PDB file of all heavy atoms in Angstrom:
ATOM      1  N   TYR M1512     -12.614 -26.111   0.520  1.00  0.00           N
ATOM      2  CA  TYR M1512     -13.841 -25.966  -0.264  1.00  0.00           C
ATOM      3  C   TYR M1512     -13.705 -24.826  -1.272  1.00  0.00           C
ATOM      4  O   TYR M1512     -14.169 -24.931  -2.413  1.00  0.00           O
ATOM      5  CB  TYR M1512     -15.033 -25.697   0.662  1.00  0.00           C
ATOM      6  CG  TYR M1512     -15.714 -26.951   1.162  1.00  0.00           C
ATOM      7  CD1 TYR M1512     -15.742 -27.262   2.518  1.00  0.00           C
ATOM      8  CD2 TYR M1512     -16.339 -27.826   0.271  1.00  0.00           C
ATOM      9  CE1 TYR M1512     -16.366 -28.409   2.984  1.00  0.00           C
ATOM     10  CE2 TYR M1512     -16.965 -28.973   0.730  1.00  0.00           C
ATOM     11  CZ  TYR M1512     -16.979 -29.268   2.078  1.00  0.00           C
ATOM     12  OH  TYR M1512     -17.594 -30.400   2.522  1.00  0.00           O
ATOM     13  N   ARG M1513     -13.068 -23.753  -0.869  1.00  0.00           N
ATOM     14  CA  ARG M1513     -12.893 -22.636  -1.789  1.00  0.00           C
ATOM     15  C   ARG M1513     -12.019 -23.039  -2.973  1.00  0.00           C
ATOM     16  O   ARG M1513     -12.302 -22.698  -4.125  1.00  0.00           O
ATOM     17  CB  ARG M1513     -12.266 -21.452  -1.044  1.00  0.00           C
ATOM     18  CG  ARG M1513     -12.231 -20.163  -1.864  1.00  0.00           C
ATOM     19  CD  ARG M1513     -11.657 -19.007  -1.070  1.00  0.00           C
ATOM     20  NE  ARG M1513     -12.453 -18.739   0.114  1.00  0.00           N
ATOM     21  CZ  ARG M1513     -12.038 -18.922   1.348  1.00  0.00           C
ATOM     22  NH1 ARG M1513     -10.817 -19.386   1.577  1.00  0.00           N
ATOM     23  NH2 ARG M1513     -12.816 -18.638   2.374  1.00  0.00           N
ATOM     24  N   LYS M1514     -10.960 -23.788  -2.694  1.00  0.00           N
ATOM     25  CA  LYS M1514     -10.102 -24.237  -3.791  1.00  0.00           C
ATOM     26  C   LYS M1514     -10.838 -25.228  -4.688  1.00  0.00           C
ATOM     27  O   LYS M1514     -10.696 -25.191  -5.922  1.00  0.00           O
ATOM     28  CB  LYS M1514      -8.829 -24.877  -3.220  1.00  0.00           C
ATOM     29  CG  LYS M1514      -7.868 -23.876  -2.585  1.00  0.00           C
ATOM     30  CD  LYS M1514      -6.588 -24.555  -2.142  1.00  0.00           C
ATOM     31  CE  LYS M1514      -5.622 -23.534  -1.534  1.00  0.00           C
ATOM     32  NZ  LYS M1514      -4.349 -24.159  -1.124  1.00  0.00           N
ATOM     33  N   LEU M1515     -11.622 -26.130  -4.091  1.00  0.00           N
ATOM     34  CA  LEU M1515     -12.363 -27.099  -4.906  1.00  0.00           C
ATOM     35  C   LEU M1515     -13.327 -26.401  -5.849  1.00  0.00           C
ATOM     36  O   LEU M1515     -13.527 -26.850  -6.988  1.00  0.00           O
ATOM     37  CB  LEU M1515     -13.126 -28.067  -3.993  1.00  0.00           C
ATOM     38  CG  LEU M1515     -12.289 -29.085  -3.206  1.00  0.00           C
ATOM     39  CD1 LEU M1515     -13.177 -29.863  -2.256  1.00  0.00           C
ATOM     40  CD2 LEU M1515     -11.553 -30.039  -4.139  1.00  0.00           C
ATOM     41  N   ASN M1516     -13.931 -25.315  -5.413  1.00  0.00           N
ATOM     42  CA  ASN M1516     -14.887 -24.614  -6.259  1.00  0.00           C
ATOM     43  C   ASN M1516     -14.212 -23.694  -7.269  1.00  0.00           C
ATOM     44  O   ASN M1516     -14.757 -23.448  -8.346  1.00  0.00           O
ATOM     45  CB  ASN M1516     -15.853 -23.807  -5.393  1.00  0.00           C
ATOM     46  CG  ASN M1516     -16.801 -24.692  -4.600  1.00  0.00           C
ATOM     47  OD1 ASN M1516     -17.251 -25.717  -5.096  1.00  0.00           O
ATOM     48  ND2 ASN M1516     -17.092 -24.309  -3.360  1.00  0.00           N
ATOM     49  N   ASN M1517     -13.032 -23.163  -6.938  1.00  0.00           N
ATOM     50  CA  ASN M1517     -12.366 -22.193  -7.818  1.00  0.00           C
ATOM     51  C   ASN M1517     -11.471 -22.854  -8.859  1.00  0.00           C
ATOM     52  O   ASN M1517     -11.289 -22.312  -9.950  1.00  0.00           O
ATOM     53  CB  ASN M1517     -11.537 -21.204  -6.994  1.00  0.00           C
ATOM     54  CG  ASN M1517     -12.400 -20.283  -6.159  1.00  0.00           C
ATOM     55  OD1 ASN M1517     -13.569 -20.073  -6.477  1.00  0.00           O
ATOM     56  ND2 ASN M1517     -11.844 -19.734  -5.095  1.00  0.00           N
ATOM     57  N   ILE M1518     -10.888 -24.000  -8.535  1.00  0.00           N
ATOM     58  CA  ILE M1518      -9.997 -24.677  -9.488  1.00  0.00           C
ATOM     59  C   ILE M1518     -10.852 -25.404 -10.518  1.00  0.00           C
ATOM     60  O   ILE M1518     -11.718 -26.196 -10.174  1.00  0.00           O
ATOM     61  CB  ILE M1518      -9.063 -25.665  -8.759  1.00  0.00           C
ATOM     62  CG1 ILE M1518      -8.115 -24.911  -7.823  1.00  0.00           C
ATOM     63  CG2 ILE M1518      -8.274 -26.493  -9.756  1.00  0.00           C
ATOM     64  CD1 ILE M1518      -7.237 -25.819  -6.991  1.00  0.00           C
ATOM     65  N   ARG M1519     -10.617 -25.119 -11.777  1.00  0.00           N
ATOM     66  CA  ARG M1519     -11.374 -25.743 -12.854  1.00  0.00           C
ATOM     67  C   ARG M1519     -10.438 -26.570 -13.740  1.00  0.00           C
ATOM     68  O   ARG M1519      -9.285 -26.188 -13.982  1.00  0.00           O
ATOM     69  CB  ARG M1519     -12.101 -24.704 -13.714  1.00  0.00           C
ATOM     70  CG  ARG M1519     -13.084 -23.856 -12.938  1.00  0.00           C
ATOM     71  CD  ARG M1519     -14.001 -23.080 -13.873  1.00  0.00           C
ATOM     72  NE  ARG M1519     -14.868 -23.948 -14.663  1.00  0.00           N
ATOM     73  CZ  ARG M1519     -16.022 -24.442 -14.227  1.00  0.00           C
ATOM     74  NH1 ARG M1519     -16.444 -24.165 -12.995  1.00  0.00           N
ATOM     75  NH2 ARG M1519     -16.767 -25.201 -15.012  1.00  0.00           N
ATOM     76  N   LEU M1520     -10.975 -27.683 -14.212  1.00  0.00           N
ATOM     77  CA  LEU M1520     -10.247 -28.578 -15.109  1.00  0.00           C
ATOM     78  C   LEU M1520     -10.773 -28.397 -16.527  1.00  0.00           C
ATOM     79  O   LEU M1520     -11.990 -28.235 -16.740  1.00  0.00           O
ATOM     80  CB  LEU M1520     -10.427 -30.043 -14.684  1.00  0.00           C
ATOM     81  CG  LEU M1520     -10.033 -30.376 -13.236  1.00  0.00           C
ATOM     82  CD1 LEU M1520     -10.351 -31.836 -12.946  1.00  0.00           C
ATOM     83  CD2 LEU M1520      -8.551 -30.107 -13.002  1.00  0.00           C
ATOM     84  N   ASP M1521      -9.854 -28.399 -17.492  1.00  0.00           N
ATOM     85  CA  ASP M1521     -10.296 -28.301 -18.884  1.00  0.00           C
ATOM     86  C   ASP M1521     -11.162 -29.503 -19.261  1.00  0.00           C
ATOM     87  O   ASP M1521     -12.078 -29.389 -20.069  1.00  0.00           O
ATOM     88  CB  ASP M1521      -9.083 -28.223 -19.816  1.00  0.00           C
ATOM     89  CG  ASP M1521      -8.267 -26.974 -19.551  1.00  0.00           C
ATOM     90  OD1 ASP M1521      -8.859 -25.976 -19.066  1.00  0.00           O
ATOM     91  OD2 ASP M1521      -7.055 -26.982 -19.806  1.00  0.00           O
ATOM     92  N   GLY M1522     -10.890 -30.612 -18.659  1.00  0.00           N
ATOM     93  CA  GLY M1522     -11.695 -31.802 -18.912  1.00  0.00           C
ATOM     94  C   GLY M1522     -10.971 -33.054 -18.459  1.00  0.00           C
ATOM     95  O   GLY M1522      -9.747 -33.065 -18.241  1.00  0.00           O
ATOM     96  N   VAL M1523     -11.720 -34.114 -18.265  1.00  0.00           N
ATOM     97  CA  VAL M1523     -11.163 -35.429 -17.964  1.00  0.00           C
ATOM     98  C   VAL M1523     -11.682 -36.400 -19.011  1.00  0.00           C
ATOM     99  O   VAL M1523     -12.843 -36.322 -19.432  1.00  0.00           O
ATOM    100  CB  VAL M1523     -11.553 -35.889 -16.538  1.00  0.00           C
ATOM    101  CG1 VAL M1523     -10.926 -34.999 -15.505  1.00  0.00           C
ATOM    102  CG2 VAL M1523     -13.062 -35.892 -16.352  1.00  0.00           C
ATOM    103  N   SER M1524     -10.837 -37.301 -19.440  1.00  0.00           N
ATOM    104  CA  SER M1524     -11.210 -38.265 -20.482  1.00  0.00           C
ATOM    105  C   SER M1524     -10.633 -39.623 -20.118  1.00  0.00           C
ATOM    106  O   SER M1524      -9.475 -39.920 -20.412  1.00  0.00           O
ATOM    107  CB  SER M1524     -10.681 -37.785 -21.845  1.00  0.00           C
ATOM    108  OG  SER M1524     -11.028 -38.695 -22.863  1.00  0.00           O
ATOM    109  N   TRP M1525     -11.475 -40.403 -19.453  1.00  0.00           N
ATOM    110  CA  TRP M1525     -11.089 -41.766 -19.081  1.00  0.00           C
ATOM    111  C   TRP M1525     -12.173 -42.734 -19.586  1.00  0.00           C
ATOM    112  O   TRP M1525     -12.879 -43.374 -18.801  1.00  0.00           O
ATOM    113  CB  TRP M1525     -10.949 -41.897 -17.553  1.00  0.00           C
ATOM    114  CG  TRP M1525     -10.089 -40.834 -16.934  1.00  0.00           C
ATOM    115  CD1 TRP M1525      -8.928 -40.341 -17.415  1.00  0.00           C
ATOM    116  CD2 TRP M1525     -10.347 -40.119 -15.717  1.00  0.00           C
ATOM    117  NE1 TRP M1525      -8.424 -39.375 -16.601  1.00  0.00           N
ATOM    118  CE2 TRP M1525      -9.284 -39.204 -15.516  1.00  0.00           C
ATOM    119  CE3 TRP M1525     -11.356 -40.164 -14.765  1.00  0.00           C
ATOM    120  CZ2 TRP M1525      -9.208 -38.351 -14.440  1.00  0.00           C
ATOM    121  CZ3 TRP M1525     -11.287 -39.323 -13.674  1.00  0.00           C
ATOM    122  CH2 TRP M1525     -10.225 -38.421 -13.519  1.00  0.00           C
ATOM    123  N   PRO M1526     -12.352 -42.822 -20.898  1.00  0.00           N
ATOM    124  CA  PRO M1526     -13.437 -43.680 -21.411  1.00  0.00           C
ATOM    125  C   PRO M1526     -13.210 -45.162 -21.120  1.00  0.00           C
ATOM    126  O   PRO M1526     -14.168 -45.921 -20.999  1.00  0.00           O
ATOM    127  CB  PRO M1526     -13.431 -43.386 -22.915  1.00  0.00           C
ATOM    128  CG  PRO M1526     -12.039 -42.907 -23.204  1.00  0.00           C
ATOM    129  CD  PRO M1526     -11.596 -42.166 -21.977  1.00  0.00           C
ATOM    130  N   ASP M1527     -11.952 -45.576 -21.042  1.00  0.00           N
ATOM    131  CA  ASP M1527     -11.657 -46.979 -20.775  1.00  0.00           C
ATOM    132  C   ASP M1527     -11.492 -47.270 -19.294  1.00  0.00           C
ATOM    133  O   ASP M1527     -11.220 -48.412 -18.919  1.00  0.00           O
ATOM    134  CB  ASP M1527     -10.384 -47.400 -21.528  1.00  0.00           C
ATOM    135  CG  ASP M1527     -10.546 -47.255 -23.037  1.00  0.00           C
ATOM    136  OD1 ASP M1527     -11.680 -47.437 -23.520  1.00  0.00           O
ATOM    137  OD2 ASP M1527      -9.549 -46.940 -23.713  1.00  0.00           O
ATOM    138  N   GLY M1528     -11.615 -46.243 -18.483  1.00  0.00           N
ATOM    139  CA  GLY M1528     -11.476 -46.424 -17.044  1.00  0.00           C
ATOM    140  C   GLY M1528     -10.071 -46.120 -16.566  1.00  0.00           C
ATOM    141  O   GLY M1528      -9.082 -46.274 -17.300  1.00  0.00           O
ATOM    142  N   LEU M1529      -9.989 -45.665 -15.338  1.00  0.00           N
ATOM    143  CA  LEU M1529      -8.713 -45.326 -14.707  1.00  0.00           C
ATOM    144  C   LEU M1529      -8.790 -45.732 -13.244  1.00  0.00           C
ATOM    145  O   LEU M1529      -9.794 -45.487 -12.578  1.00  0.00           O
ATOM    146  CB  LEU M1529      -8.448 -43.816 -14.808  1.00  0.00           C
ATOM    147  CG  LEU M1529      -7.041 -43.335 -14.470  1.00  0.00           C
ATOM    148  CD1 LEU M1529      -6.062 -43.815 -15.541  1.00  0.00           C
ATOM    149  CD2 LEU M1529      -7.003 -41.804 -14.404  1.00  0.00           C
ATOM    150  N   PRO M1530      -7.755 -46.421 -12.738  1.00  0.00           N
ATOM    151  CA  PRO M1530      -7.787 -46.814 -11.326  1.00  0.00           C
ATOM    152  C   PRO M1530      -7.931 -45.591 -10.421  1.00  0.00           C
ATOM    153  O   PRO M1530      -7.431 -44.510 -10.712  1.00  0.00           O
ATOM    154  CB  PRO M1530      -6.437 -47.518 -11.123  1.00  0.00           C
ATOM    155  CG  PRO M1530      -6.015 -47.934 -12.482  1.00  0.00           C
ATOM    156  CD  PRO M1530      -6.543 -46.922 -13.432  1.00  0.00           C
TER     157      PRO M1530
END
Side-chain angles (χ1 to χ4, degrees):
Y1512 271 117
R1513 189 178 300 113
K1514 289 185 179 182
L1515 289 174
N1516 290 323
N1517 292 337
I1518 295 176
R1519 300 193 65 84
L1520 304 176
D1521 297 333
V1523 294
S1524 180
W1525 310 319
D1527 299 328
L1529 193 69

